[in-house]
Amino acid sequence: MQAEVDIGVTTAATRPLVVDLDGTLIHSDLLWESIVLFLKMNILRAWLLPFWLLSGKAGFKERLAREVELDPAALPYDRKVLAMVEAERARGRPVVLATGSQRRFAEQIAAHLGLFDLVLATGDGINLTSHNKARRLAELYGERGYDYIGNSRADLPVWLGCAHPWSVTAKPFRLLDGRHTVHAGSVRGGTARALFKALRPRQWLKNLLVFVPMLAGHALDPASVSASLVAFLAFSLCASSAYLLNDALDAQDDRVHPTKHTRPIASGALSLPLALLASPLLALAAIVLCAATNLLLLGAVLVYFISTVAYSVWLKRLLMIDIVALAILYSLRVIGGAAATGIPPSFWLLAFSFFIFLSLALLKRHSELINLHKRGQDKTRGRGYTVEDRMPVGVMGVNSAFLSVLVFMLYFNSENVLDLYRTPAWLAGILPLLVFWLGRLWVLSFRGQVNEDPVLYVSKDKTSLAVVACCLALATLASF
C-alpha cells in the first residue's frame, strides 16, 4: 500500500473511491467483532472492558486490538461492494479504505483483499469517524475530491464533502445541500426476520421433552398440561437466549462452515449488538416467568441456562465433555417438566433419557466428522475433534443407543410398569421399534446422510415419525 500520494483528482475516472469498512464493506462492525472475540477467549476478564473505555473510544479499540486476533478471511463481506471496488480498481481508479476501525485490523483486511491503495483508520488516539474522517479526506483530496460509500448517519459529514455519495442502506440519506445518497451494494434484509430466524424456533421441538414426565406419569389433567406449557415456554425462551449467545461467539467459525455461514449473525443479517442485547432479555423473561409461577421450575431453568452458557463459552471446545454436556442439557428439559408438574421422574426415565440423549449427542458429532472427512478437511474450527475420531465416536454412540434399549427392557419388567399400565404387554412392541430406529439412524450417519442436528433430522424423516407414532400408539394401548 502506498503512503499519501497526489493522485491528481480532476475527473470521475481519477477521483478516488473511498470505502467505509464497518457495515459497508462487511456486514458487521469490527469493534463488536473484537469485543465478542475477547469475551470468547477471556470471559473472566470481561470486567476490564468498562475501565478500558475510560481511555476514550480510540484507546478502547486499540486495547482490544492488542488482545485479540482477527481472521480477515472469516468476515461477512458485501460481495456487491467488493465487486464494485474491483471494477473501479480495474479501470485504474484509486481506491481508499477509510474506517473507524483500529488501524491494525484495517491493514490486515486490506492486505487480505489486495484492493486498496491507501488505508485510513483509527489510531494515535484519533477515532476516524464522522467529522474526523471528513476532515482527513478533505485534507488529502479537497472538497468534492472523492466519492464515498458509507452506511450510517455518522457518514453524513463525509457524504457532504464528497462528489458522489453512495450508501448501502435501502433508504437514502438526505444531505444538507439537498443531495441524496444512491444505493450501492447488496440489499440488506429485514432485522426482525433475521432475529426470528436466529432464535431457531425449529429447535424448540427439543423442549417438548418437558411434557415427558406428564405423559410418563399419566397425569393428563389441566393443571399438569398448563404447568408443562409454562415450562415449554420458559425453556424455549432460555434456549433462544443461548442460541443467540452461541452464534455470536461462534460467528467467525460459522463463516467458514459450509452450511452455518448462512446463520443470521454469521452472515451479518443480524448485528452483534442486537444479538447480545436480545440474549439476556430472553433469559430474563424466562426467569421472570418461572419466578411468577413455580420456584422449582425456576431452579431447573437457572441450572439449564448456566449450563448452556458454560457450554457456549467453554465446554463445547473440550473433547467428550461437550458430548456429556449436550446429553445433560437434554435431560434437564425432562427434569424441568418434572419440576413444573411436581411429578418426580423415575430412575428408569432418567437413565433412559441420559443414554438415548448421549447417543444423539454422539450422533451429532459423528455426522459432523463424517461430512468433514468427505470434504477433505481434518478438523472443525472451535471443536476438540479431528476426522480420526469418527470411529470411536461412532462406537460410543451405538453402544449408548443400545444401552438405552436395555434400560427400557429392564423398565418393562419393573414394578413401575405394573402400577401405570393395565396391559403392559403392549410395551414389548416398542423394543424392536427402538432397535430399528436407533440402528437405522446410526447406519445413515456412517453413510454421511444425517446432515444436521439429529432432532431436526428426525422431525423431517417420515420413517422416524412413523416409529414415534407407533410407539405412542403402543403406549396408549398398554394404558387400557
Side-chain angles (χ1 to χ4, degrees):
M1 290 175 290
Q2 302 173 357
E4 299 173 17
V5 292
D6 180 7
I7 55 177
V9 181
T10 55
T11 67
T14 59
R15 189 165 52 232
L17 175 64
V18 181
V19 184
D20 187 27
L21 177 59
D22 298 319
T24 303
L25 184 64
I26 61 173
H27 295 279
S28 188
D29 186 305
L30 288 189
L31 175 58
W32 284 100
E33 292 276 341
S34 53
I35 289 174
V36 168
L37 281 174
F38 177 80
L39 293 175
K40 182 176 182 178
M41 304 306 298
N42 305 277
I43 188 64
L44 297 180
R45 298 174 62 206
W47 61 273
L48 291 171
L49 295 177
F51 293 97
W52 292 350
L53 272 172
L54 297 176
S55 60
K57 200 167 185 180
F60 183 67
K61 292 177 181 179
E62 185 176 349
R63 183 57 192 266
L64 273 174
R66 293 201 301 265
E67 296 286 339
V68 301
E69 288 297 328
L70 189 73
D71 183 1
L75 290 173
Y77 293 99
D78 188 318
R79 297 297 167 185
K80 289 194 174 182
V81 172
L82 275 180
M84 180 179 178
V85 170
E86 289 171 351
E88 293 300 311
R89 184 176 174 82
R91 292 171 52 196
R93 190 175 185 185
V95 183
V96 178
L97 182 64
T99 174
S101 294
Q102 210 279 330
R103 181 179 296 148
R104 184 168 72 91
F105 289 157
E107 289 177 345
Q108 288 175 347
I109 292 169
H112 169 71
L113 295 174
L115 295 174
F116 298 97
D117 299 284
L118 178 64
V119 173
L120 305 174
T122 292
D124 300 325
I126 299 175
N127 190 34
L128 199 74
T129 59
S130 195
H131 292 284
N132 288 338
K133 184 186 292 186
R135 280 193 295 269
R136 183 63 176 142
L137 291 171
E139 291 171 1
L140 288 174
Y141 309 116
E143 288 296 322
R144 305 290 175 93
Y146 60 93
D147 298 339
Y148 182 71
I149 308 176
N151 75 99
S152 69
R153 296 191 65 85
D155 291 314
L156 286 174
V158 190
W159 279 319
L160 189 63
C162 78
H164 291 293
W166 278 299
S167 171
V168 296
T169 56
K171 185 178 180 180
F173 287 89
R174 179 180 175 84
L175 308 182
L176 291 177
D177 59 7
R179 292 182 298 162
H180 290 82
T181 58
V182 177
H183 178 73
S186 60
V187 177
R188 308 293 168 104
T191 300
R193 182 178 179 182
L195 177 59
F196 181 73
K197 184 179 178 182
L199 298 181
R200 299 197 213 174
R202 286 178 58 199
Q203 297 280 6
W204 295 344
L205 285 171
K206 298 175 183 178
N207 300 321
L208 291 174
L209 291 170
V210 300
F211 291 94
V212 169
M214 177 189 76
L215 297 173
H218 297 182
L220 301 179
D221 55 280
S224 296
V225 173
S226 175
S228 296
L229 285 171
V230 171
F232 175 80
L233 179 57
F235 272 87
S236 296
L237 290 170
C238 213
S240 290
S241 168
Y243 292 140
L244 287 173
L245 176 62
N246 180 79
D247 289 356
L249 295 175
D250 273 3
Q252 287 211 55
D253 294 334
D254 289 347
R255 287 170 189 147
V256 296
H257 191 276
T259 56
K260 294 180 181 180
H261 71 276
T262 60
R263 288 178 174 177
I265 297 176
S267 66
L270 181 65
S271 69
L272 284 170
L274 181 55
L276 293 175
L277 173 64
S279 177
L281 288 179
L282 289 170
L284 181 61
I287 290 170
V288 170
L289 175 63
C290 295
T293 55
N294 189 316
L295 292 182
L296 278 178
L297 177 60
L298 173 62
V301 167
L302 284 174
V303 171
Y304 173 80
F305 179 69
I306 293 170
S307 301
T308 55
V309 171
Y311 177 81
S312 296
V313 173
W314 180 45
L315 298 181
K316 67 183 176 184
R317 301 199 294 270
L318 304 179
L319 179 69
M320 284 308 300
I321 291 179
D322 65 322
I323 299 294
V324 176
L326 282 175
I328 291 173
L329 287 173
Y330 278 115
S331 299
L332 281 173
R333 292 171 167 95
V334 177
I335 294 172
T341 56
I343 302 171
S346 69
F347 162 81
W348 300 107
L349 177 59
L350 292 179
F352 176 77
S353 298
F354 178 77
F355 283 114
I356 197 167
F357 296 143
L358 181 62
S359 180
L360 292 177
L362 286 159
L363 180 67
K364 178 182 174 70
R365 287 291 175 262
H366 182 263
S367 299
E368 290 173 353
L369 293 173
I370 289 290
N371 292 325
L372 199 67
H373 179 65
K374 284 185 174 182
R375 296 194 299 269
Q377 296 175 280
D378 179 63
K379 187 176 181 180
T380 302
R381 287 176 53 145
R383 295 291 186 271
Y385 301 86
T386 70
V387 293
E388 300 300 324
D389 301 323
R390 63 191 187 279
M391 185 54 68
V393 168
V395 169
M396 286 186 289
V398 173
N399 287 337
S400 298
F402 289 100
L403 274 174
S404 70
V405 175
L406 176 62
V407 170
F408 185 84
M409 184 172 66
L410 294 173
Y411 167 71
F412 173 64
N413 196 40
S414 70
E415 293 182 0
N416 299 63
V417 169
L418 298 176
D419 292 338
L420 291 171
Y421 297 94
R422 292 185 178 181
T423 52
W426 285 105
L427 296 178
I430 296 178
L431 280 171
L433 288 172
L434 278 176
V435 172
F436 161 73
W437 176 62
L438 290 168
R440 178 176 175 271
L441 278 180
W442 274 103
V443 169
L444 293 177
S445 180
F446 273 91
R447 291 179 180 177
Q449 295 179 16
V450 181
N451 295 315
E452 58 182 325
D453 187 294
V455 174
L456 296 183
Y457 177 84
V458 167
S459 71
K460 298 186 295 184
D461 178 44
K462 293 181 180 179
T463 301
S464 296
L465 293 175
V467 169
V468 172
C470 289
C471 290
L472 289 174
L474 289 168
T476 302
L477 289 171
S479 301
F480 295 101

